[in-house]
């Protein structure tokens, strides 16, 4: 398994555990799920953090902390829209 | 945009490492993918009102809205110009317009930002915003 696949596997595992703990579901479409996890893995490899792939990384570390998955917005978005913005977690 | 923003924009342009050569890729008869260097000419100086899809290749909702945007571009041909900008290649523009998430659709008229829609939204919502903002009716 190459580095990226290993990172993706780790992300899949912790997101699945997090979803279970919070009573959420991961995206049931495996292709869509893989795309989000790949975006997270790219950011983890490039920046060292699991930044949300659908948010803009700035030069402000304080602001960037807000978009580390699971981001500070996800629970409100799930409540309002049924899923988080990047469609990783669902109600 | 205040004076501070204008100076920041000028400074960023002078120090930017983004491509200085304008690139415009035609996706269909009314949809163009442009790089940062082509943004001013293709969007801000456009004679037609413009709707810009700021996207990232690694974002799932961006992929979802892409075919809808492509289809709408043809429907509004001659009335509204449709443009796509990859934010990973246009960080300075993303900063200039305070972009927080992708996809974000921004509506420009005469070089000014008029309205924006954030996230993956329904086609009807995009159309009603275009019509409200530009007074365009299909």
């Amino acid at each position: 398994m190459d580095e990226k696949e290993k990172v993706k596997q780790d992300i899949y595992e912790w997101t699945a555990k997090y979803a279970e703990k919070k009573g959420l579901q991961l995206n049931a479409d495996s292709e869509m799920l893989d795309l989000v996890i790949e975006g997270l893995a790219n950011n983890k490899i490039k920046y060292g953090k699991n930044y949300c792939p659908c948010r803009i990384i700035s030069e402000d570390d304080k602001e960037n902390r807000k978009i580390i998955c699971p981001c500070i917005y996800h629970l409100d978005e799930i409540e309002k829209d049924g899923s988080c913005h990047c469609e990783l977690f669902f109600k | 945009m205040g004076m501070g923003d204008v100076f920041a924009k000028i400074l960023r342009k002078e120090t930017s490492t983004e491509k200085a050569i304008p690139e415009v890729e035609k996706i269909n008869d009314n949809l163009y993918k442009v790089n940062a260097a082509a943004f001013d000419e293709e969007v801000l100086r456009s004679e037609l009102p413009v709707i810009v899809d700021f996207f990232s290749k690694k974002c799932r909702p961006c992929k979802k809205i892409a075919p809808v945007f492509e289809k709408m571009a043809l429907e509004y041909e001659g009335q509204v110009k449709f443009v796509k900008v990859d934010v990973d290649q246009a960080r300075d523009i993303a900063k200039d317009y305070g972009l927080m998430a992708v996809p974000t659709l921004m509506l420009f008229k005469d070089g000014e930002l008029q309205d924006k829609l954030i996230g993956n939204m329904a086609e009807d919502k995009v159309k009603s915003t275009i019509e409200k903002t530009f007074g365009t009716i299909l």
Side-chain angles (χ1 to χ4, degrees), chain A residues 32 43 54 56 59 85 87, chain B residues 58-59 64 95 100 102:
Chain A
M32 294 181 200
N43 284 342
C54 299
I56 308 298
E59 289 159 0
H85 174 70
E87 300 184 2
Chain B
K58 56 194 178 180
C59 158
K64 227 164 119 180
K95 278 184 217 159
M100 302 289 287
V102 284

Side-chain angles (χ1 to χ4, degrees), chain A residues 25-80:
Chain A
Q25 310 289 324
L26 289 182
N27 194 322
D29 184 320
S30 59
E31 198 180 323
M32 294 181 200
L33 178 63
D34 188 66
L35 189 74
V36 182
I37 288 184
E38 177 147 356
L40 284 167
N42 287 342
N43 284 342
K44 177 71 177 175
I45 292 164
K46 189 171 178 184
Y47 302 104
K49 304 279 184 197
N50 296 307
Y51 292 126
C52 173
C54 299
R55 297 193 190 272
I56 308 298
I57 300 163
S58 72
E59 289 159 0
D60 184 338
D61 284 345
K62 196 175 160 194
E63 285 301 308
N64 288 341
R65 278 200 288 274
K66 295 177 183 173
I67 62 167
I68 295 172
C69 185
C71 71
I72 65 159
Y73 312 104
H74 77 293
L75 291 176
D76 285 344
E77 290 168 346
I78 292 165
E79 185 60 34
K80 183 170 159 274

Side-chain angles (χ1 to χ4, degrees), chain B residues 88-101:
Chain B
D88 296 317
Q89 294 170 5
R91 294 273 166 196
D92 292 349
I93 292 172
K95 278 184 217 159
D96 288 343
Y97 289 100
L99 210 68
M100 302 289 287

Side-chain angles (χ1 to χ4, degrees), chain A residues 7-16 37 40-41 44 50:
Chain A
V7 173
K8 282 176 72 175
Q9 184 62 32
D10 288 348
I11 292 170
Y12 176 75
E13 285 172 10
W14 70 252
T15 51
I37 288 184
L40 284 167
K44 177 71 177 175
N50 296 307

Side-chain angles (χ1 to χ4, degrees), chain B residues 42-101:
Chain B
E42 296 297 324
V43 176
L44 302 183
R45 289 198 283 274
S46 169
E47 285 184 14
L48 284 178
V50 186
I51 181 165
V52 183
D53 172 16
F54 288 95
F55 75 100
S56 167
K57 285 177 191 159
K58 56 194 178 180
C59 158
R60 165 64 200 154
C62 298
K63 286 192 190 291
K64 227 164 119 180
I65 200 172
V68 177
F69 198 70
E70 209 166 311
K71 181 177 85 73
M72 279 194 299
L74 295 174
E75 291 173 359
Y76 283 96
E77 191 177 354
Q79 298 183 85
V80 179
K81 182 177 177 180
F82 280 58
V83 168
K84 287 172 76 80
V85 173
D86 182 344
V87 293
D88 296 317
Q89 294 170 5
R91 294 273 166 196
D92 292 349
I93 292 172
K95 278 184 217 159
D96 288 343
Y97 289 100
L99 210 68
M100 302 289 287

